[in-house]
Structure formats: C-alpha cells, structure tokens
Amino acid sequence: MPQPTDTAHHHTPRGLILDFAGVLTGDPRPVHRTWCESEGLLAEAWRATLNDHPEGRRLYTALEIGQISQAEWNEGTAALLGTHVDADNLMGRAWAKVPPAQRMAALARAAKDAGYRLALLSNSFGLEPFNPYEQAGIWDLFDVHVISEVVGLAKPDPAIYQLTLDRLGLPGPACVFVDDHPINLPPAEALGITTVLATTEDQSVAELERLLGVSAVLPV
C-alpha cells in the first residue's frame, strides 16, 4: 500500500549555503581602514576605490568573474590608490589581518556533523597569490565550492544560486543561505531558499542555531 507523501520534510533544511567575506570572516571594513592609514592613505580609500571609483569598480567586477587575475587586479588597483602604493600582493596585504569568524565556522561544523550538506558561495577576490579561503582555514568544511571567478558568474546573478543547488543536489526550500549584502538575498528567495542577512556574527549564528537545530561549540 503506498505511503502518504509527507510534504513537510521538503521544507526541513538539509543544506547550508554560506557567503565568505563578512560571514566566515570578521567585518573586513575596520581592518581595511587601519591598513589604509598604515599605507599613508585616507581611511576610506580602499572602500571608495573598490566601490565608488568607476575604474576601481570595473577592475573588481572583472576580478570577481575571472576576467583578470588577482595579480593584474593588484597592479591596476594599486595605481588607483596612489603612486606610492606597492602592487605586490596588494589584496593579501589589505586582507592579512581580517580575522576568521570562529563561531560561524563552529556552527558550520555542527551543521555538517548533524548531516547537513554545506556549500560555500562566494564572489571571490582572487586565489593567487593570496588565497583568502586558505587563510581562514574553512575550505575543507564544505561539500561544494561555488567561487565566482571559477564558474564565471557572480552574485546576484540568479544562475549562480541555481548552480549551487544543482551541485548540492537539493531543492531551494531545503536550503538556508547567509550573506551580508542585502542585494544578494532576493535571487535566493526566488528559488525558495530561506535567507539570513548577516549583520553580526552573533546574530547570524543565533539565527542559524534556531533554523537548523544545532549549536555552535567552539573547540577548547
């Protein structure tokens, strides 16, 4: 006799999709301000050059989808920051002191131990010479890695979210996605994914503990 189909289990989360910068790392902005001042730049120079300067935006967008290498980006962006700024490993120098988010990593480990499938969905900022994922020590936590420069797509392009679901082998309603940029959430929600806007690490971890039914326990 056929069993009645239980629709509820389709909506119990089975996949956790995490953004990288600002979710699996601490807030990079104060670190970037301090770094700018150490380089003899205005505190907001990094943010302004990457976000507000037309050529800075163009270079960063090209880096995200793999059209230029991190080394090429370093050269172009150092020139925009100032003639005295050394291009050598520019990205690595600016990111060197951004701390990993230890509680979020612990939450991800707890989810994995509880049987969730984990995906890293990141708009990347290059892998060589500086690999931010290696520095944070989180790469091996994930079953699936969707890195924008590798796949040639970047959030908020809806296609990158569908690709992530396909690689996880899960439908949208079975997944939870965390990102610190509001613009990146609606395309995920359109696929039925539950979204969490990361504002602070404690807030994000608490929300995930509630949604996933696991606890983030830091290693002693």
Side-chain angles (χ1 to χ4, degrees):
M1 181 178 158
Q3 295 297 311
T5 53
D6 172 18
T7 53
H9 81 276
H10 291 303
H11 298 283
T12 304
R14 287 176 287 146
L16 175 61
I17 305 167
L18 296 178
D19 172 40
F20 177 67
V23 174
L24 284 155
T25 75
D27 184 347
R29 290 169 298 185
V31 177
H32 290 154
R33 287 186 201 110
T34 302
W35 176 83
C36 284
E37 289 171 341
S38 77
E39 292 273 333
L41 299 166
L42 294 173
E44 291 297 320
W46 181 265
R47 186 203 59 74
T49 302
L50 273 56
N51 293 310
D52 303 336
H53 190 294
E55 177 64 3
R57 284 183 65 90
R58 188 193 72 76
L59 285 167
Y60 201 83
T61 301
L63 175 68
E64 281 187 327
I65 57 172
Q67 286 178 346
I68 62 172
S69 68
Q70 189 184 81
E72 289 169 306
W73 180 90
N74 287 341
E75 289 285 341
T77 303
L80 297 177
L81 285 165
T83 51
H84 69 285
V85 177
D86 185 358
D88 186 54
N89 192 28
L90 176 68
M91 186 71 81
R93 297 195 336 266
W95 276 86
K97 293 184 178 168
V98 176
Q102 303 284 9
R103 290 197 66 224
M104 183 58 79
L107 182 284
R109 274 188 206 94
K112 189 165 192 175
D113 290 345
Y116 289 93
R117 283 179 59 69
L118 268 55
L120 179 65
L121 173 54
S122 173
N123 279 4
S124 64
F125 35 102
L127 297 167
E128 285 178 29
F130 170 68
N131 184 323
Y133 311 108
E134 243 166 50
Q135 171 167 304
I138 49 82
W139 188 261
D140 294 341
L141 267 175
F142 292 90
D143 302 292
V144 166
H145 306 89
V146 181
I147 308 300
S148 63
E149 75 178 276
V150 177
V151 300
L153 299 163
K155 295 175 289 184
D157 185 331
I160 201 169
Y161 303 86
Q162 187 60 56
L163 177 66
T164 305
L165 293 176
D166 293 346
R167 290 190 177 178
L168 278 171
L170 292 171
C175 295
V176 175
F177 169 55
V178 187
D179 199 292
D180 64 329
H181 290 291
I183 195 173
N184 291 337
L185 300 181
E189 289 160 1
L191 291 166
I193 299 169
T194 300
T195 61
V196 173
L197 177 64
T199 51
T200 68
E201 185 179 8
D202 286 346
Q203 159 267 325
S204 308
V205 168
E207 180 75 358
L208 288 174
E209 287 180 329
R210 184 183 68 74
L211 286 168
L212 305 181
V214 299
S215 293
V217 181
L218 285 168
V220 180

